[in-house]
Amino acid sequence: MALSIPNSVAVADMRFGRAEPLEPYPGRAREPWMCRHMPCGQIIYPNRNNVMSGQGACIWCAPNSPKNPEQAASAMLAHGFVVLLDFPGTGRPWLSQCVEAGHVVAPRYDNVTGRMGGCRFCKRYGPGDPEEAVTDMRAVGFRPLEPFKNVASPWSSLCERCEKISTPKLNNVRTKGQCCQHCARYGLDPGAPARPYVMDHAGHGAVKIGITGLRTREDRVARFGGRGWTVFAQLQFSTGADAYRVEQGVIRQLRAEGHTPFLSDAHMPAGGWTETFGVSRVPAARLLALAEAAR
């Protein structure tokens, strides 16, 4: 049977759709053709007509295709991400942590494995050049006291304004400017009174823990209250440093038990999503009990 088009032309068409033919062109545009999908390496049987119409070649990389969750997590790790939640599907954001710099991001599985998508923060800021990192810190008044790690890790530094040691992150310094916890005007003052709080959100089925300072310009409790969150309890501390220690102790304990953030930044544009937990697994009463036990 004479081919309707040359084999070389058909092969080029399939390669344009990122499918590498493993056998000669079968001769008809709607006939399955054994190929290897270039991005993921799977053996597939697309037909040339579907590929040329833009429907995609690989059933395994389709947005709703089935995936083994463990294999999907391994593939993410191989591409530089530790996943933090169960597999949501190939075309949906998957909360993960960037191995290189520690950023918490939500890339899509198909972008990461099929298009070599990487951490959006590392692409924008880079893991960090040590010399440039020091220069950027000195530009806003910090003198680093230890070697540079990466853009997302706390970096022990001396604030040349107040001459106190703090641990800003290079990412925050670059995006927000001066970030000294001791002389910040709007952030938590470690030496001033503060309140750890526990809140819940019936609509999201979530609880969260956090801190608001008594001498800060913004009241975090009031801010979340306007977004559907209800105060379950608040504790009083004489210093923000003690309140921060308790909050972080509770979060570390729950992380050690396997509890990951329950909501994403899309649910909480006001921030604070990394301190959220599912109410069915971590009731508000337990958050409060852990905080009181850590005092």
Side-chain angles (χ1 to χ4, degrees), residues 136-189:
D136 289 346
M137 293 288 279
R138 296 302 299 265
V140 297
F142 285 118
R143 179 157 56 85
L145 302 177
E146 61 182 0
F148 174 65
K149 299 175 184 175
N150 56 59
V151 296
S153 293
W155 196 358
S156 180
S157 305
L158 178 71
C159 175
E160 295 179 342
R161 293 175 177 81
C162 66
E163 298 186 347
K164 295 181 179 179
I165 294 175
S166 59
T167 53
K169 299 176 182 178
L170 181 60
N171 257 355
N172 289 340
V173 168
R174 285 175 170 171
T175 58
K176 301 177 183 178
Q178 201 271 354
C179 300
C180 174
Q181 65 188 49
H182 300 289
C183 55
R185 294 178 59 190
Y186 306 116
L188 181 70
D189 184 344

Side-chain angles (χ1 to χ4, degrees), residues 90-173:
T90 58
R92 301 185 64 183
W94 195 357
L95 191 68
S96 308
Q97 186 169 33
C98 163
V99 173
E100 182 68 31
H103 303 295
V104 176
V105 289
R108 293 182 354 187
Y109 175 86
D110 54 358
N111 280 342
V112 171
T113 58
R115 302 178 181 88
M116 302 304 291
C119 173
R120 62 188 180 93
F121 289 108
C122 286
K123 285 184 176 180
R124 183 174 181 182
Y125 304 113
D129 175 82
E131 293 186 4
E132 292 182 1
V134 171
T135 298
D136 289 346
M137 293 288 279
R138 296 302 299 265
V140 297
F142 285 118
R143 179 157 56 85
L145 302 177
E146 61 182 0
F148 174 65
K149 299 175 184 175
N150 56 59
V151 296
S153 293
W155 196 358
S156 180
S157 305
L158 178 71
C159 175
E160 295 179 342
R161 293 175 177 81
C162 66
E163 298 186 347
K164 295 181 179 179
I165 294 175
S166 59
T167 53
K169 299 176 182 178
L170 181 60
N171 257 355
N172 289 340
V173 168

Side-chain angles (χ1 to χ4, degrees), residues 2 4 30 77 103 118 142 144 167 194 198 232 241 257 271 275 277 281 284:
S4 58
R30 294 184 183 277
L77 182 60
H103 303 295
F142 285 118
T167 53
V198 174
F232 179 80
E257 295 176 5
E275 296 91 34
F277 303 91
R281 299 186 63 194

Side-chain angles (χ1 to χ4, degrees), residues 243-294:
Y244 180 78
R245 173 182 54 78
V246 167
E247 179 207 42
Q248 293 301 302
V250 170
I251 293 173
R252 280 195 301 271
Q253 179 171 338
L254 292 173
R255 292 282 183 267
E257 295 176 5
H259 300 288
T260 55
F262 184 69
L263 300 178
S264 70
D265 54 353
H267 293 99
M268 301 186 68
W273 62 274
T274 58
E275 296 91 34
T276 60
F277 303 91
V279 69
S280 63
R281 299 186 63 194
V282 185
R286 180 159 188 243
L287 267 186
L288 177 61
L290 290 174
E292 290 179 328

